[in-house]
Amino acid sequence: MPENIDAKDRNGARGGIIAFALDFLAVVSATVLTGMMAFLVVARYLLGMSVVGLHELIMLSAVALYMTGAVIASRKGEHLTVDWIAGNITSPRKKALHDLLIAVLTTIITIFFIVWAYHMFSWGIQRPQMTPALRIPLWIPQLAIGLAALGCFCYGLRDILDAIRRYRRN
Protein backbone atom coordinates (compact mmCIF):
# COMPACT_ATOMS: atom_id res chain seq x y z
CA MET A 1 0.00 0.00 0.00
CA PRO A 2 1.07 3.62 -0.32
CA GLU A 3 3.87 4.66 1.93
CA ASN A 4 3.12 6.76 5.00
CA ILE A 5 -0.67 6.53 4.75
CA ASP A 6 -0.95 6.90 8.50
CA ALA A 7 1.28 9.99 8.49
CA LYS A 8 -0.72 11.52 5.62
CA ASP A 9 -3.96 10.64 7.36
CA ARG A 10 -2.95 12.43 10.54
CA ASN A 11 -1.76 15.58 8.75
CA GLY A 12 -5.20 16.69 7.64
CA ALA A 13 -7.53 18.01 10.34
CA ARG A 14 -10.37 15.62 9.57
CA GLY A 15 -8.00 12.70 9.03
CA GLY A 16 -6.30 13.35 12.34
CA ILE A 17 -9.58 13.54 14.23
CA ILE A 18 -10.83 10.32 12.64
CA ALA A 19 -7.52 8.57 13.33
CA PHE A 20 -7.57 9.73 16.95
CA ALA A 21 -11.21 8.65 17.38
CA LEU A 22 -10.49 5.19 15.93
CA ASP A 23 -7.41 4.73 18.09
CA PHE A 24 -9.31 5.91 21.17
CA LEU A 25 -12.23 3.56 20.43
CA ALA A 26 -9.82 0.65 19.99
CA VAL A 27 -8.11 1.35 23.31
CA VAL A 28 -11.42 1.76 25.14
CA SER A 29 -12.88 -1.40 23.59
CA ALA A 30 -9.76 -3.42 24.40
CA THR A 31 -9.65 -2.10 27.97
CA VAL A 32 -13.35 -2.77 28.59
CA LEU A 33 -13.09 -6.22 27.01
CA THR A 34 -10.02 -7.16 29.05
CA GLY A 35 -11.51 -5.78 32.25
CA MET A 36 -14.79 -7.62 31.84
CA MET A 37 -13.04 -10.88 30.97
CA ALA A 38 -10.80 -10.56 34.03
CA PHE A 39 -13.80 -9.75 36.21
CA LEU A 40 -15.68 -12.74 34.80
CA VAL A 41 -12.82 -15.08 35.69
CA VAL A 42 -12.39 -13.60 39.20
CA ALA A 43 -16.14 -13.61 39.86
CA ARG A 44 -16.65 -17.15 38.67
CA TYR A 45 -13.56 -18.94 39.96
CA LEU A 46 -12.49 -16.95 43.00
CA LEU A 47 -15.80 -15.60 44.30
CA GLY A 48 -18.06 -18.38 43.03
CA MET A 49 -20.47 -15.85 41.48
CA SER A 50 -22.24 -16.01 38.16
CA VAL A 51 -22.69 -12.57 36.61
CA VAL A 52 -25.73 -12.58 34.34
CA GLY A 53 -25.31 -10.73 31.07
CA LEU A 54 -21.57 -10.22 31.25
CA HIS A 55 -21.00 -12.45 28.23
CA GLU A 56 -23.33 -10.21 26.23
CA LEU A 57 -21.36 -7.09 27.16
CA ILE A 58 -18.11 -8.89 26.36
CA MET A 59 -19.54 -9.79 22.95
CA LEU A 60 -20.45 -6.15 22.25
CA SER A 61 -16.96 -4.99 23.22
CA ALA A 62 -15.36 -7.71 21.11
CA VAL A 63 -17.41 -6.76 18.04
CA ALA A 64 -16.54 -3.08 18.54
CA LEU A 65 -12.84 -3.93 18.93
CA TYR A 66 -12.78 -6.23 15.91
CA MET A 67 -14.59 -3.78 13.64
CA THR A 68 -12.49 -0.84 14.83
CA GLY A 69 -9.37 -2.89 14.14
CA ALA A 70 -10.59 -3.56 10.60
CA VAL A 71 -11.04 0.16 9.94
CA ILE A 72 -7.65 0.98 11.49
CA ALA A 73 -6.01 -1.67 9.27
CA SER A 74 -7.71 -0.09 6.28
CA ARG A 75 -6.58 3.39 7.35
CA LYS A 76 -2.97 2.25 7.67
CA GLY A 77 -3.00 0.15 4.50
CA GLU A 78 -2.24 -3.05 6.41
CA HIS A 79 -4.92 -5.18 4.82
CA LEU A 80 -5.04 -7.47 1.81
CA THR A 81 -1.32 -7.33 1.06
CA VAL A 82 1.16 -9.88 -0.17
CA ASP A 83 4.60 -8.67 0.87
CA TRP A 84 6.47 -10.86 -1.59
CA ILE A 85 4.77 -9.30 -4.61
CA ALA A 86 4.94 -5.73 -3.30
CA GLY A 87 8.59 -6.20 -2.33
CA ASN A 88 9.58 -7.34 -5.81
CA ILE A 89 8.01 -4.42 -7.64
CA THR A 90 10.60 -1.71 -8.20
CA SER A 91 8.98 0.51 -10.82
CA PRO A 92 6.94 3.35 -9.24
CA ARG A 93 4.29 3.03 -11.98
CA LYS A 94 3.94 -0.71 -11.45
CA LYS A 95 3.84 -0.16 -7.70
CA ALA A 96 1.02 2.36 -8.19
CA LEU A 97 -0.85 -0.13 -10.41
CA HIS A 98 -0.39 -2.85 -7.78
CA ASP A 99 -1.71 -0.51 -5.09
CA LEU A 100 -4.62 0.43 -7.35
CA LEU A 101 -5.52 -3.24 -7.82
CA ILE A 102 -5.48 -3.81 -4.06
CA ALA A 103 -7.57 -0.68 -3.46
CA VAL A 104 -10.13 -1.65 -6.11
CA LEU A 105 -10.45 -5.20 -4.72
CA THR A 106 -10.83 -3.83 -1.20
CA THR A 107 -13.48 -1.35 -2.31
CA ILE A 108 -15.46 -4.00 -4.20
CA ILE A 109 -15.37 -6.35 -1.21
CA THR A 110 -16.49 -3.60 1.14
CA ILE A 111 -19.43 -2.81 -1.15
CA PHE A 112 -20.59 -6.40 -0.65
CA PHE A 113 -20.14 -5.98 3.12
CA ILE A 114 -22.10 -2.71 3.11
CA VAL A 115 -25.01 -4.33 1.25
CA TRP A 116 -24.90 -7.41 3.50
CA ALA A 117 -24.74 -5.29 6.66
CA TYR A 118 -27.62 -3.12 5.43
CA HIS A 119 -29.82 -6.17 4.84
CA MET A 120 -28.82 -7.65 8.18
CA PHE A 121 -29.46 -4.37 10.01
CA SER A 122 -32.82 -3.70 8.32
CA TRP A 123 -33.92 -7.27 9.02
CA GLY A 124 -32.96 -6.74 12.67
CA ILE A 125 -35.07 -3.57 12.82
CA GLN A 126 -38.09 -5.26 11.19
CA ARG A 127 -37.84 -8.38 13.34
CA PRO A 128 -36.18 -7.18 16.53
CA GLN A 129 -34.23 -9.71 18.50
CA MET A 130 -32.50 -9.15 21.80
CA THR A 131 -29.88 -10.84 23.89
CA PRO A 132 -31.39 -13.12 26.53
CA ALA A 133 -30.11 -11.58 29.76
CA LEU A 134 -29.74 -7.83 29.27
CA ARG A 135 -32.17 -7.49 26.36
CA ILE A 136 -29.62 -5.64 24.22
CA PRO A 137 -30.96 -5.26 20.66
CA LEU A 138 -28.93 -7.32 18.21
CA TRP A 139 -28.91 -4.47 15.73
CA ILE A 140 -26.26 -2.75 17.87
CA PRO A 141 -23.44 -5.16 16.96
CA GLN A 142 -24.88 -5.36 13.43
CA LEU A 143 -24.58 -1.60 13.16
CA ALA A 144 -20.92 -1.85 14.16
CA ILE A 145 -20.33 -4.22 11.23
CA GLY A 146 -22.02 -1.79 8.84
CA LEU A 147 -20.10 1.22 10.12
CA ALA A 148 -16.83 -0.68 9.79
CA ALA A 149 -17.69 -1.65 6.21
CA LEU A 150 -18.50 1.98 5.44
CA GLY A 151 -15.22 3.14 6.99
CA CYS A 152 -13.21 0.56 5.03
CA PHE A 153 -15.04 1.62 1.86
CA CYS A 154 -14.08 5.26 2.40
CA TYR A 155 -10.45 4.34 2.97
CA GLY A 156 -10.59 2.14 -0.14
CA LEU A 157 -11.74 5.13 -2.19
CA ARG A 158 -8.92 7.20 -0.68
CA ASP A 159 -6.42 4.51 -1.68
CA ILE A 160 -7.82 4.35 -5.23
CA LEU A 161 -7.42 8.10 -5.67
CA ASP A 162 -3.92 8.02 -4.16
CA ALA A 163 -2.81 5.17 -6.46
CA ILE A 164 -4.20 6.96 -9.53
CA ARG A 165 -2.39 10.18 -8.51
CA ARG A 166 0.88 8.31 -8.06
CA TYR A 167 0.45 6.46 -11.37
CA ARG A 168 -0.11 9.72 -13.27
CA ARG A 169 2.78 11.45 -11.51
CA ASN A 170 5.27 8.69 -12.44
Side-chain angles (χ1 to χ4, degrees):
M1 292 309 301
E3 291 79 22
N4 299 324
I5 283 181
D6 196 36
K8 281 193 316 189
D9 201 36
R10 291 179 190 274
N11 288 338
R14 275 181 271 131
I17 292 169
I18 293 169
F20 175 80
L22 287 170
D23 292 344
F24 180 76
L25 184 59
V27 168
V28 168
S29 296
T31 304
V32 168
L33 179 65
T34 305
M36 285 191 297
M37 294 280 288
F39 177 72
L40 179 68
V41 170
V42 168
R44 180 167 290 162
Y45 296 107
L46 295 179
L47 304 175
M49 296 172 29
S50 178
V51 183
V52 176
L54 194 55
H55 286 98
E56 296 169 3
L57 294 174
I58 289 170
M59 182 262 318
L60 286 175
S61 294
V63 169
L65 179 60
Y66 188 80
M67 294 299 115
T68 303
V71 178
I72 290 172
S74 224
R75 179 187 89 216
K76 292 182 174 186
E78 297 174 347
H79 61 295
L80 198 63
T81 58
V82 178
D83 291 339
W84 181 81
I85 294 172
N88 287 327
I89 298 174
T90 56
S91 164
R93 282 179 71 88
K94 288 180 181 175
K95 176 87 171 114
L97 279 176
H98 177 261
D99 293 343
L100 179 62
L101 175 65
I102 291 171
V104 167
L105 288 173
T106 300
T107 305
I108 290 170
I109 290 168
T110 57
I111 289 170
F112 284 109
F113 267 92
I114 290 169
V115 171
W116 170 69
Y118 170 76
H119 287 297
M120 185 175 60
F121 179 76
S122 62
W123 185 84
I125 294 294
Q126 292 172 356
R127 295 170 186 84
Q129 296 182 9
M130 304 200 175
T131 60
L134 298 179
R135 311 288 297 156
I136 299 169
L138 288 183
W139 59 262
I140 292 175
Q142 293 169 346
L143 184 61
I145 294 168
L147 290 174
L150 215 76
C152 290
F153 175 77
C154 291
Y155 282 122
L157 290 178
R158 176 207 59 189
D159 294 345
I160 288 172
L161 295 175
D162 182 62
I164 290 171
R165 253 186 250 116
R166 287 186 297 117
Y167 180 78
R168 286 183 178 165
R169 188 177 20 181
N170 296 319

